[in-house]
Amino acid sequence: MHSTRVHKVINQIIFFCRFIGVWHGEDIPTATQLRLKSFCCINYCLFPISFAIGAITSETIDDSIFLAESSIIIAVLIVKIVMLLWKQKSITRLLDRVCVFSIRNDEDFAFFNEKVEKFIKFVHVFACGTIVASLGCLVFPFIGEKKTFVMDFAFPLDRRNSEIGFWMAYIFFTSGNVLTFLALTFSVIIWYLLLQCSLRYKILGMEIRNSGRITSDSKENMSEKKKQTIFYRDLVASIKAHLHLREVIDELESFLSTLFLLQLATSGLCICGSIYCLAFDVSDNTVERIVHVYTFFNGIAELFMITYLGNEILLSSSHLTYSLFESEWVGQPHSTMKCIIIFGEYLKLPHEMLIGKLYPLTLETFTRILNSSYSLFNILKNTKQ
């Protein structure tokens, strides 16, 4: 028997949030922590307003499209920041409920650790890409002769002709980049929770398949009655584990439903804007192109990860019926067979996460959004021509 825990990388993220003061260690946050949380939320809410005004007042349609896309992305990031800062108890409760459980077999535990470590490697690559893009945005104003930003956002002070106005705008822009890391950190936690749910279904399928199976050394000396008792015990444990897992995933779905609905509704527009900026090369230099490339891949990654992991939950839960068929069900008593049949009928309904009770969190939804993004891009292309 092995016990799983929250991965050390996720624990380091939690420690960092508590270290900088956006998370509190006690049950009730201090007045300083409340002020810090409020300041972060209010400050970041100014960014989509600034970008939206910049999109309206921009002289070129290319800059307007990029700023409008950025304002939509930041609106979604605001929701993530608000949830990260103010839903600490819910997040820690879900991490404990989803990530802390027991695995019986050594092979299943090794499989689980391998999948988690692969995900952590992807997180490291994602973090490196984010850091490079952010540093590019911060260094960009000092590259050319004129101090200009990657995006021409609106700001009340004259940053082009005033040194004070430039540094105030730079501080404003830098604070937004720092807060963006918090939002992307919450994205990693969401992906980790969804991955754990899919892996728990796979582990459950392995345990159902191994129900009643005994090692060859002790099997010969065991009576048939004892074997049937062991199978029934394992079957009951699997039923309880399945009910508990569905309850936990339903709780996770309820917690993230509003955020996912917003992401599904806006991701098509964001991906379309990124494709437009890359296809028509609206950038003036390499740094701007890097930012556009990162925006494109980040939009794809944000959408793909939640739909892919939701699809994995659907597939892994749909395989449980066959795992039950592969178990040692032959020769079981009539009462146990009745439980197997009822449990098998219940497992025929896979666990599909529904967002807004309408949109399934599957790869089919991902392809539909990409198709809609391509249709919108064609409309913009025809407009430009």
Side-chain angles (χ1 to χ4, degrees):
M1 184 73 72
H2 302 274
S3 296
T4 64
R5 293 291 182 268
V6 179
H7 197 274
K8 60 181 181 181
V9 172
I10 306 300
N11 282 326
Q12 289 171 356
I13 292 174
I14 295 174
F15 172 78
F16 176 75
C17 291
R18 288 175 175 164
F19 177 76
I20 63 178
V22 295
W23 271 24
H24 52 274
E26 304 297 333
D27 294 335
I28 301 175
T30 63
T32 303
Q33 290 171 337
L34 288 175
R35 285 193 292 267
L36 179 60
K37 291 182 180 183
S38 302
F39 172 78
C40 291
C41 293
I42 295 172
N43 182 61
Y44 205 67
C45 285
L46 297 176
F47 275 83
I49 299 174
S50 177
F51 287 2
I53 296 175
I56 296 172
T57 59
S58 179
E59 298 178 355
T60 61
I61 186 65
D62 294 339
D63 290 339
S64 297
I65 291 175
F66 179 57
L67 288 171
E69 173 203 355
S70 301
S71 63
I72 294 173
I73 294 175
I74 294 175
V76 178
L77 295 178
I78 287 174
V79 177
K80 292 185 179 182
I81 288 180
V82 170
M83 293 180 68
L84 178 67
L85 296 183
W86 301 100
K87 299 291 184 180
Q88 174 184 340
K89 289 185 178 180
S90 299
I91 295 172
T92 53
R93 170 182 166 82
L94 285 170
L95 284 172
D96 290 337
R97 296 199 68 192
V98 173
C99 306
V100 179
F101 61 100
S102 300
I103 301 177
R104 301 177 194 171
N105 299 325
D106 297 339
E107 296 82 3
D108 300 347
F109 186 67
F111 167 81
F112 173 83
N113 287 332
E114 180 184 359
K115 293 295 184 181
V116 172
E117 290 303 324
K118 287 182 178 179
F119 170 77
I120 296 301
K121 290 180 181 178
F122 168 77
V123 169
H124 289 156
V125 174
F126 178 76
C128 291
T130 303
I131 292 172
V132 170
S134 297
L135 290 178
C137 292
L138 296 179
V139 174
F140 178 78
F142 308 101
I143 293 178
E145 296 180 358
K146 295 182 179 180
K147 294 180 179 180
T148 58
F149 292 89
V150 174
M151 50 198 72
D152 192 18
F153 58 91
F155 195 73
L157 300 179
D158 185 8
R159 63 177 182 272
R160 293 179 177 85
N161 302 317
S162 172
E163 190 72 15
I164 297 177
F166 167 77
W167 284 108
M168 292 295 292
Y170 186 78
I171 293 172
F172 174 73
F173 187 72
T174 303
S175 64
N177 271 276
V178 173
L179 291 174
T180 300
F181 277 104
L182 291 178
L184 297 180
T185 294
F186 186 52
S187 295
V188 172
I189 295 176
I190 292 172
W191 300 344
Y192 180 72
L193 287 170
L194 292 175
L195 173 71
Q196 290 283 328
C197 292
S198 65
L199 289 179
R200 287 191 64 169
Y201 264 127
K202 292 179 181 179
I203 296 297
L204 179 60
M206 296 175 183
E207 292 182 348
I208 292 175
R209 187 184 305 117
N210 294 326
S211 296
R213 293 185 180 175
I214 308 162
T215 58
S216 57
D217 296 334
S218 58
K219 188 174 183 180
E220 297 178 356
N221 301 326
M222 191 174 295
S223 64
E224 191 67 25
K225 184 70 174 178
K226 181 65 174 177
K227 296 176 184 177
Q228 293 175 356
T229 302
I230 293 175
F231 178 87
Y232 182 76
R233 181 197 63 194
D234 294 343
L235 178 65
V236 171
S238 298
I239 293 174
K240 291 181 178 179
H242 182 261
L243 293 174
H244 174 72
L245 183 54
R246 287 192 70 97
E247 178 186 349
V248 169
I249 296 178
D250 287 340
E251 183 180 345
L252 178 64
E253 177 185 335
S254 176
F255 177 69
L256 298 174
S257 180
T258 302
L259 174 61
F260 284 168
L261 183 61
L262 183 61
Q263 281 190 264
L264 295 180
T266 59
S267 55
L269 295 174
C270 297
I271 294 173
C272 173
S274 299
I275 295 174
Y276 178 89
C277 294
L278 292 173
F280 293 102
D281 195 18
V282 301
S283 308
D284 296 329
N285 51 69
T286 304
V287 177
E288 289 187 10
R289 293 187 183 96
I290 292 175
V291 173
H292 292 320
V293 170
Y294 173 77
T295 304
F296 172 71
F297 281 106
N298 180 68
I300 295 290
E302 287 276 1
L303 179 62
F304 176 76
M305 286 301 294
I306 62 174
T307 52
Y308 170 76
L309 294 172
N311 196 75
E312 284 295 300
I313 293 174
L314 175 67
L315 292 178
S316 57
S317 62
S318 64
H319 292 162
L320 294 180
T321 304
Y322 192 74
S323 298
L324 182 62
F325 174 75
E326 291 180 306
S327 66
E328 299 287 337
W329 60 272
V330 179
Q332 298 299 324
H334 181 69
S335 58
T336 304
M337 291 298 297
K338 288 175 62 177
C339 295
I340 294 173
I341 293 173
I342 295 173
F343 188 37
E345 290 295 322
Y346 185 68
L347 292 179
K348 286 183 179 179
L349 183 63
H351 197 159
E352 184 179 55
M353 297 183 70
L354 289 177
I355 305 305
K357 299 182 179 180
L358 292 173
Y359 306 104
L361 202 64
T362 60
L363 288 177
E364 182 181 359
T365 303
F366 175 72
T367 55
R368 287 181 179 178
I369 293 176
L370 290 185
N371 290 334
S372 65
S373 299
Y374 180 72
S375 300
L376 290 173
F377 169 73
N378 284 329
I379 295 174
L380 289 177
K381 182 177 67 173
N382 295 331
T383 303
K384 186 177 181 62
Q385 293 174 350

